Amino acid sequence: MARTTGSHSDITGPRVRTAALKLFAQHGFAAVSMRQIAREVGVQAGALYNYTPDKQTLLFDLMNTHMCDLLDARRKNVVPDSPIARLENFTRFHIRFHSQRPEEVFIAYMELRNLAPENFEIIGKLRREYEDELEAILQQGQELGDFAVPDTKIATLAVIAMLTGVNTWFQEGGRLSLDEVEQVYADMVRKAVTA
Amino acid sequence: MARTTGSHSDITGPRVRTAALKLFAQHGFAAVSMRQIAREVGVQAGALYNYTPDKQTLLFDLMNTHMCDLLDARRKNVVPDSPIARLENFTRFHIRFHSQRPEEVFIAYMELRNLAPENFEIIGKLRREYEDELEAILQQGQELGDFAVPDTKIATLAVIAMLTGVNTWFQEGGRLSLDEVEQVYADMVRKAVTA
DNA sequence: GTCTATAGAGCGATAGAC
DNA sequence: GTCTATCGCTCTATAGAC
């Protein structure tokens, strides 16, 4: 818990981020004070400013790290050739990745409006980069005649909204395993876009 | 704009709700102060307490009214017989209703965690009542062999997440008309759940 | 790197005059 | 029903001691 004094830079830094992540996800950015974060970490409020210039930057760093992690993981993913296989691969990747970090995902979707304009633009760009991954798959399938999608942009947003919705109810150890959930969604998504 | 004094109960009441709706949707419940709402209405902060006992109740009233409007509109809706027609009817109803009140929808989805526990329970119940409408359709179609849905509860949540996602990008007067958007989604939803 | 202390501002809600 | 004024509290961020 709380210590009186000392030097703990390498430990405290990650702890500040973890505490902020948890509290922002739980109560929302605007409802969480720097004092609450400090209490969770076990330091005084002033000490937080050794790790972030301000509260806004702390929020941005959490969201930015999350989006970069997402794009990195996607790039490391081995992608199959056929559109149908690529679509299932994307579906499973999205559900698995997002279900593993519910707090980051929740913040990334709920706190966009609390970003300063310049930060909002950066996060928006990263998000569009991710959406383009799916849209490229739908376009390929459309060209090859495997898919029947009148508007790839709308279909992209529809599929991502559906997949991200998993996070609102999925619990590890619940009625369905993660793999079963992936299967159910992979089937629905494939059927929704195939010819 | 601002007046000096007087009696305006019947005008001010709705104006308080409208102002709160707009500001909560724009900045989030926690980030909006009673003084901001009062400024938007054109009264002093203290006057707001003639129309709501506190800020929390103001939020709850907005969300509760929205959910009751939704269920009322659904009840007035004439529902066809066959599962496939009922599903298209639901899809179009959902998109049309929600696209007409983006602020209410945004608040109803984003501010759940800012509800007091007893209020949270009430709104959750109303939401489940609405979800049950769709689940009943999927169950009927499943029994008649029109649909192939391994888990009607999950399919329900998946479809609703997909449909509500329309609100994040749809703009009246944009590239697609509302009716075209309804058609695109009705096709995707039907294909996703049919056998 | 963390502490204590604090500046300067804003908050929700209430009291009492009109 | 609205105003002004205010209570008691919390907020972000900074300054300076250790």
Side-chain angles (χ1 to χ4, degrees), chain B residues 155-193:
Chain B
T156 297
L157 297 175
V159 168
I160 288 183
M162 182 167 136
L163 298 182
T164 305
V166 171
N167 262 42
T168 62
W169 57 266
F170 180 73
Q171 302 261 18
E172 194 96 47
R175 187 159 54 82
L176 277 78
S177 72
L178 182 58
D179 192 69
E180 287 168 329
V181 172
E182 287 175 27
Q183 190 62 61
V184 169
Y185 274 79
D187 288 343
M188 281 195 292
V189 168
R190 177 182 33 74
K191 284 162 67 183
V193 302

Side-chain angles (χ1 to χ4, degrees), chain B residues 58-72:
Chain B
L58 183 52
L59 174 63
F60 170 70
D61 283 344
L62 292 174
M63 293 177 68
N64 193 43
T65 300
H66 170 65
M67 291 308 297
C68 291
D69 286 352
L70 173 64
L71 290 168
D72 282 353

Side-chain angles (χ1 to χ4, degrees), chain A residues 114-186:
Chain A
N114 286 310
L115 286 174
E118 65 273 25
N119 292 336
F120 182 85
E121 204 177 342
I122 295 168
I123 300 297
K125 224 168 171 174
L126 294 172
R127 178 174 294 196
R128 257 169 275 124
E129 202 174 318
Y130 180 68
E131 290 168 359
D132 287 347
E133 293 265 324
L134 175 55
E135 192 174 2
I137 296 171
L138 296 178
Q139 270 165 352
Q140 187 200 18
Q142 183 77 3
E143 283 158 18
L144 294 177
D146 292 333
F147 297 161
V149 182
D151 187 307
T152 54
K153 186 67 195 166
I154 287 180
T156 296
L157 296 175
V159 168
I160 288 182
M162 181 165 137
L163 298 182
T164 305
V166 171
N167 262 43
T168 63
W169 57 266
F170 179 74
Q171 300 260 18
E172 194 94 48
R175 186 159 55 82
L176 277 78
S177 71
L178 183 57
D179 192 68
E180 288 168 328
V181 173
E182 288 176 26
Q183 190 62 61
V184 169
Y185 276 79

Side-chain angles (χ1 to χ4, degrees), chain B residues 4 12 44 50-51:
Chain B
T4 49
T12 308
Q44 292 300 313
N50 288 313
Y51 303 98

Side-chain angles (χ1 to χ4, degrees), chain A residues 32-35 46 49 54-55:
Chain A
V32 172
S33 70
M34 294 299 270
R35 283 173 173 83
Y49 292 86
D54 50 40
K55 197 185 167 194

